[in-house]
Amino acid sequence: MEISVIGSSQVNVGRVNDIGFCNFSKNLNVKICNLKNNNYSKGFNLGENLSFVLPSRFPIGCCVKASASAHNQAAVVSEKSPNFTRTKHNDGVKLFVGLPLDTVSNCNTINHARAIAAGLKALKLLGVDGVELPVWWGIAENEAMGKYNWTGYLAIVEMVQKLDLKLHISLCFHASKESKISLPQWVSRIGESEQSIYFTDRSGQQYKDCLSLAVDDVPVLDGKTPLEVYKEFCDNFKSSFSPFMGSTITGISVGLGPDGELRYPSHLNSTRKNIHHGAGEFQCYDKNMLNNLKHHAETHGNPLWGLGGPHDAPGYDESPISRGFFTENGGSWETPYGDFFLSWYSSQLIHHGDRVLSLANSTFKDAPITLSGKIPLMPSWYKTRSHPSELTTGFYNTVNRDGYDAIAEIFSRNSCKIILPGLDLSDEDQPNKSRSSPESLLAQITSSCMKHGVEMSGQNSLISGGSKGFEQVKKNLLGENAIIDLFMHQRMGAYFFSPEHFPSFTQFVRGLNQPVQSLDDLPVGEEDNAENRPAMNLHMQAA
């Protein structure tokens, strides 16, 4: 279920009170929508009569409840006393939680606003440092090029500011089918007549959730290049949110490709059950990519090599060793042609990343924030010699070649941190048939970052990782060779606050925290209140 705030084209958030809730206009309606229960980012589906109480020994008592009969009640937080103990993180690791992908709707209103307000309060009481907010190109600049609407995002930033939480902004230049967020309408209209702006695979299938990197410097958007449009978007965001920079907004990451990551959409047609089985496909068949490849081949004196991608590469869900290109010994990837193609394919991705990070750095270099970009963790087939999943994704990393050194170098040159997902993945939990090793891959990427002085932030890959996943995250954050100083847990929603997940997350937070105030430090007479009083009630009520 989802609490959607409707009644006008914009949410009149106005002031946010001391406990983090919005004062909505009187005529504002709250619409209760029934949604499928399989997508936590679609709303806070807390179930019927659900309640969860933090452990009694935790410094903050907190109860999350939902009642199926409370059709007309908003989220409420009540406290018996304003005095409570807090915990403080180790200086080396800060903890953020991602807000739902659809926090701001397509019409620039706040989705499930009161549940989000209650969730923010719960995170504040828990001791989380801040939250991450996706800011979508397809929402803020949806109607026409240069016409920006930040209404919903400004409202969320104000809510976060009132709670004295920190905020990381993710500037998303891609779409999300999961949350029904598309590219801007005016961009999609251009794509209908000029389909070469999208990535294309060998069979002609297009990936329309982001623009092909081959058009970065091509004036395909009503006379402007995508890089020019991205730069203007960043400039307008900076001016619109300047009052929050450095105080509330402490970090910004810029989108670099599919799902915001620096990669090709190599698994665009894979079935979920076979995503670990196949290595994906090369995405080099749109008109502009083929023109670049043709020119590159002619320049190197081998024009026949520029007619397309490898003819002996497998399909999306086929075993990488089912055809000749990725064969362990004697595969085409080890031939002069294979080196030619893979060098070109990866260089296109690296140059794209460098260009986007450079424009972001030039925009925000004088702002008191940390700038970041995200790269993928592609551990499947890492134990093979050819590393096929990484190769199709755009990382020329094999048993004979370090594909992450050049990646770390562009992040270093542009003063950007790397955000790396998958900190919850361990080798022992990987399917044997995929020959996967996330721990080895993470160690390699970490080594490249250390070599170039690049700082790292981390994310989890699975919302349902459970306590075992949290233990792996702790290992990566607090281990002897750990260099990650910020972890973003993905993502707030119905499952996040469920009894199956929230207790594990609570224990995880406690494991990262160092208490700065004990019960012995409380004024005389406060001990009973702190330890024995009824828990503060956090009600998230929905139909």
Side-chain angles (χ1 to χ4, degrees), residues 137 173 186 197 211-221 223-233 352 356 359:
W137 184 28
F173 296 113
W186 62 275
I197 66 174
L211 301 183
S212 168
L213 57 82
V215 297
D216 278 352
D217 293 314
V218 183
V220 293
L221 300 180
K224 290 188 176 182
T225 70
L227 289 180
E228 289 173 333
V229 173
Y230 299 156
K231 180 67 166 66
E232 292 174 0
F233 185 91
H352 165 73
V356 177
L359 75 82

Side-chain angles (χ1 to χ4, degrees), residues 229-240:
V229 173
Y230 299 156
K231 180 67 166 66
E232 292 174 0
F233 185 91
C234 292
D235 286 338
N236 195 273
F237 175 87
K238 179 183 177 183
S239 62
S240 300

Side-chain angles (χ1 to χ4, degrees), residues 369-388:
I369 56 96
T370 299
L371 188 62
S372 306
K374 187 176 180 181
I375 68 172
L377 190 75
M378 303 297 296
S380 294
W381 305 101
Y382 187 84
K383 293 180 180 179
T384 65
R385 296 182 67 246
S386 61
H387 295 208

